[in-house]
Amino acid sequence: MCRHLAYLGPSVPLADLLTAPEHSLYEQSWAPRLQRHGTVNADGFGFGWYPAPDDPPDDPPDDPPGGPARPGRYRRAVPIWADPNLPDLLRTLSSTALLAAVRSATAGTSQDESAAAPFRDGPWLFSHNGAVPDWTRLPDTGLGPAEMLALEAHSDSALLWATLVQRLRRGQPAGAALADVVRRTAAARPTARLNLLLTDGRGIAATRHGDTLWYARADGRVLVASEPDRSGAPWQEVPDHSLLLATPAAVHIAPLRPPGRAPRPSHRADRTPTSPEDADRMTSRFSLETRLPADHTAMALRADVLNGLGAQPRWLPPKWFYDARGSELFEEITRLPEYYPTRAEHEILIRRAPEIAALTRARQLVELGSGSSRKTRVLLDALTAAGTLECYAPLDVSASALEEAGTALCRDYPGLRVQATVADFQRDLVLPEPQGPEQHGPRLLAFLGSTVGNLDTPERRAFHGLLRRTMSGDDALLLGADLVKDRDVLVRAYDDSQGVTAAFNKNVLQVLNRELNADFDLDSFDHLAVWNEDEERIEMRLRSRHQQTVKIPDVDLSLDFARGEELLTELSIKFRRESLTAELAAAGLQVRQWWTDQQRRFALLLIVPD
Ligand code: SAH
Ligand code: AVI
């Protein structure tokens, strides 16, 4: 269902944006890698670009002095690769701003170039990636007969554009107008896919709602696209159901409130920002630093795949579960009736948070593997109530989880700075440098959810040592640890009846397919959760249903899986008080408090350096 792209930055030949990079929009027209619906985008294409700011306006009455310029546009109803004029045009046209799209038409819509994006009105260019079911009967569009008859094309995208133009002409800010169109359309058509992209040549507003969306910002330029090219730009995935507002100076992402959800009480300003400036006010307390090298996914994943999948028995490190989809699936797991650890730890946190705040008096809360930071709110509430907390510093490999959690927390905790870091805590545990007055205050490090149990014994020893060396005398560590218990309870927690854990487990194969061009067939593997009695750990595995060969061309691997052969994807160690306390003591860490939930399923440890 279409791919689109917008760019703002220094003037560049359009070919540098559209055709030159590896896996450019041009290539995405016949070989998209992340597209969730449809296959090729061969039903037309288009691009719009802006004259240089010092070019004389082409049409003075329409272009007020100093006002935004009207873009030029080129659209065709043929596949992008079938237009012989294109290479010359792209080579000779340059611009500081561009919006381009390749189209996969929805059945029953216009097939001519009038339906190819970008749509245009005054300074605005617009594209829609998605589909609205039964769009001809979409209620409450606010469009009268004249506007319906004036639709640029017979298509769902042209209809959405007309409803958006109404709002923009009324002066509604771009972000608010996009959010409004998405919410209203999704309320009437819950399965609609509504990835919208809008620019006026100065800012970009976009929604992710049902398909993929990425952005890259560096060196005074910003790109927003359905999927990343392979130019080496620092691409970041935008979480689903988000509004993105971007300029070359800043990118802000806010969750789109689902239709019908009541706003929260007014002291928690739950609203969608309406412009980059507005988003700035709401989220200037949020920063996100990426410590992973730009080629981290490429290099580290390649190394792990060669190392683990080439070995016998085959294995993979669990951190590769957590792309945007994996992070979403983990959140679903935490809500499953069988998955008790999150609820048990939450119960302890609620009971003990005031004590933790009083004991630590932390000015900075640093959280490793923070994910959605949902349980962390209990700690944030207690530390805020104690009046000590100034900064929350979550660290995770998942940029999408950090973006989503960070923007929501800034909105909900008006006095809090959120300083997020994308990093691998096993590789690079340099805690974020405090940027505020809490520099000399005590820190509380939190490592919740029993993620420590996903490290094997040597990895855990090394990690505890690393933690100890990172902590100063007045720092404390809050560690969540799942405990040994009845086998059936454990197995059910990792093999739930709805198959969510199975989907989470298989997601790692999807990551390999996407990142390394592997051809894993997810249906050819079964999810397994096995209790290893001797090692006291759950082992998640994927078992090959039949004899098969899997190719991973990017690392030159061809893997023969025998029928029944297993691939180990995760260890989840379950702990006992005595051995865990001893293990921590060996690293110079002393357990001050050991709290459990009422049913003694899970422990929360407050730890200080020796
Ligand atoms: N702490 C949250 C999330 C647990 S899920 C909770 O208790 O619910 C595990 C989290 O750790 C995920 O968000 C994952 O992205 C992150 N993670 C896993 N391995 C990591 C690594 N090596 N470095 C940084 N983050 C990691
Ligand atoms: C993040 N980690 C502690 C979870 C666990 O329980 O080991 C990951 C998980 N795997 C399957 N379900 C949940």
Side-chain angles (χ1 to χ4, degrees):
M1 275 284 105
C2 312
R3 303 276 85 183
H4 55 205
L5 168 150
Y7 165 83
L8 300 175
S11 182
V12 283
L14 301 191
D16 288 3
L17 300 168
L18 293 181
T19 49
E22 198 184 328
H23 199 61
S24 61
L25 189 76
Y26 183 67
E27 200 177 313
Q28 290 167 28
S29 68
W30 68 85
R33 289 154 53 94
L34 304 183
Q35 193 162 312
R36 294 207 170 158
H37 302 270
T39 48
V40 293
N41 300 293
D43 298 318
F45 71 96
F47 55 91
W49 70 102
Y50 291 78
D54 45 1
D55 282 355
D58 55 341
D59 188 356
D62 274 4
D63 291 332
R70 281 201 312 143
R73 204 164 47 142
Y74 182 78
R75 299 182 298 166
R76 296 292 311 275
V78 298
I80 192 167
W81 64 83
D83 182 345
N85 306 314
L86 193 66
D88 265 356
L89 275 177
L90 296 184
R91 187 175 55 78
T92 52
L93 283 172
S94 291
S95 182
T96 55
L98 169 83
L99 190 148
V102 287
R103 179 173 188 229
S104 163
T106 306
T109 58
S110 305
Q111 301 297 313
D112 62 294
E113 71 187 29
S114 68
F119 296 95
R120 181 178 66 181
D121 190 74
W124 298 105
L125 290 173
F126 169 79
S127 161
H128 165 220
N129 157 23
V132 181
D134 198 16
W135 61 275
T136 53
R137 281 194 290 257
L138 190 68
D140 304 328
T141 57
L143 301 175
E147 285 134 335
M148 289 300 270
L149 287 168
L151 283 187
E152 257 194 77
H154 181 79
S155 77
D156 46 356
S157 307
L159 180 70
L160 291 174
W161 173 230
T163 63
L164 187 62
V165 164
Q166 260 193 337
R167 290 170 171 78
L168 296 173
R169 285 188 183 162
R170 261 191 253 128
Q172 196 173 7
L178 278 190
D180 199 23
V181 168
V182 169
R183 276 200 289 265
R184 280 166 189 267
T185 312
R189 297 285 184 272
T191 57
R193 297 191 301 279
L194 300 160
N195 278 36
L196 310 183
L197 183 62
L198 179 73
T199 184
D200 61 355
R202 299 165 165 193
I204 297 170
T207 58
R208 176 174 176 184
H209 186 93
D211 206 320
T212 51
L213 188 71
W214 295 68
Y215 75 89
R217 191 184 71 79
D219 309 326
R221 63 187 70 210
V222 64
L223 283 157
V224 177
S226 310
E227 58 186 83
D229 60 28
R230 289 177 158 181
S231 59
W235 288 101
Q236 303 275 348
E237 188 165 9
V238 178
D240 207 2
H241 311 296
S242 299
L243 171 70
L244 171 145
L245 299 167
T247 65
V251 172
H252 297 289
I253 298 171
L256 281 168
R257 188 154 38 85
R261 200 175 97 191
R264 293 198 211 144
S266 57
H267 70 279
R268 294 189 165 189
D270 182 11
R271 62 192 181 85
T272 303
T274 53
S275 65
E277 294 73 32
D278 186 25
D280 216 20
R281 276 193 297 276
M282 275 172 64
T283 60
S284 60
R285 289 173 283 107
F286 178 53
S287 69
L288 189 140
E289 189 198 347
T290 302
R291 292 189 67 98
L292 295 176
D295 58 359
H296 170 258
T297 308
M299 301 313 288
L301 180 60
R302 274 183 167 80
D304 285 349
V305 162
L306 285 169
N307 208 7
L309 288 188
Q312 278 302 335
R314 301 187 203 278
W315 63 280
L316 277 173
K319 69 176 175 214
W320 299 111
F321 284 132
Y322 299 96
D323 65 345
R325 177 74 188 132
S327 296
E328 275 170 23
L329 284 167
F330 178 74
E331 274 309 293
E332 264 187 66
I333 289 177
T334 63
R335 290 190 284 269
L336 291 170
E338 296 99 328
Y339 193 75
Y340 63 85
T342 307
R343 276 186 300 281
E345 191 178 39
H346 200 201
E347 179 193 316
I348 311 171
L349 281 168
I350 289 171
R351 184 124 168 260
R352 302 296 178 178
E355 221 170 318
I356 296 168
L359 285 169
T360 62
R361 305 203 52 75
R363 294 172 76 173
Q364 192 191 18
L365 172 60
V366 178
E367 184 175 4
L368 308 176
S370 49
S372 71
S373 304
R374 210 152 44 88
K375 281 173 299 191
T376 318
R377 286 174 177 246
V378 181
L379 288 174
L380 293 174
D381 288 339
L383 288 165
T384 310
T388 58
L389 188 69
E390 285 157 12
C391 172
Y392 171 53
L395 182 151
D396 205 291
V397 269
S398 170
S400 65
L402 287 170
E403 292 260 12
E404 193 160 351
T407 46
L409 287 172
C410 276
R411 214 180 40 205
D412 294 347
Y413 292 84
L416 185 68
R417 231 161 7 86
V418 178
Q419 204 180 318
T421 309
V422 187
D424 178 339
F425 53 61
Q426 282 184 274
R427 204 181 143 265
D428 181 17
L429 189 66
V430 179
L431 299 186
E433 273 298 308
Q435 288 164 1
E438 76 280 4
Q439 284 188 28
H440 305 293
R443 288 181 302 192
L444 175 60
L445 273 64
F447 194 28
L448 302 179
S450 201
T451 302
V452 70
N454 298 136
L455 308 179
D456 67 18
T457 306
E459 282 176 327
R460 234 172 29 251
R461 283 208 188 104
F463 187 67
H464 290 150
L466 206 60
L467 274 174
R468 174 64 192 87
R469 288 192 294 282
T470 313
M471 288 169 78
S472 332
D474 57 355
D475 291 343
L477 167 68
L478 194 64
L479 183 70
D482 195 15
L483 302 176
V484 174
K485 59 184 64 60
D486 181 68
R487 176 194 167 278
D488 290 346
V489 175
L490 284 166
V491 170
R492 269 201 301 276
Y494 291 84
D495 194 4
D496 64 277
S497 56
Q498 295 171 51
V500 182
T501 314
F504 174 72
N505 196 3
K506 289 186 182 189
N507 186 56
V508 76
L509 302 182
Q510 197 74 56
V511 170
L512 300 186
N513 284 353
R514 183 183 69 234
E515 297 297 336
L516 301 178
N517 281 314
D519 63 356
F520 280 99
D521 170 23
L522 273 55
D523 292 334
S524 294
F525 289 84
D526 285 320
H527 161 71
L528 241 63
V530 177
W531 174 238
N532 181 332
E533 187 76 53
D534 295 338
E535 305 285 345
E536 297 197 317
R537 67 192 191 197
I538 286 283
E539 295 177 3
M540 283 218 312
R541 304 180 195 162
L542 289 166
R543 179 189 282 162
S544 176
R545 281 196 188 156
H546 45 79
Q547 198 278 322
Q548 56 180 317
T549 301
V550 176
K551 296 214 160 29
I552 316 185
D554 288 13
V555 283
D556 234 353
L557 266 187
S558 173
L559 303 170
D560 291 322
F561 281 90
R563 179 161 181 261
E565 186 174 345
E566 290 172 358
L567 156 62
L568 179 67
T569 50
E570 186 184 62
L571 303 177
S572 197
I573 287 134
K574 305 302 161 191
F575 297 95
R576 292 180 187 272
R577 182 170 186 166
E578 208 176 317
S579 46
L580 181 54
T581 307
E583 188 176 306
L584 289 162
L589 295 166
Q590 189 193 336
V591 177
R592 268 281 164 83
Q593 302 284 346
W594 172 281
W595 295 300
T596 67
D597 62 312
Q598 298 254 315
Q599 295 179 52
R600 296 174 191 277
R601 295 169 298 180
F602 199 96
L604 190 65
L605 289 67
L606 188 66
I607 297 165
V608 292
D610 258 345

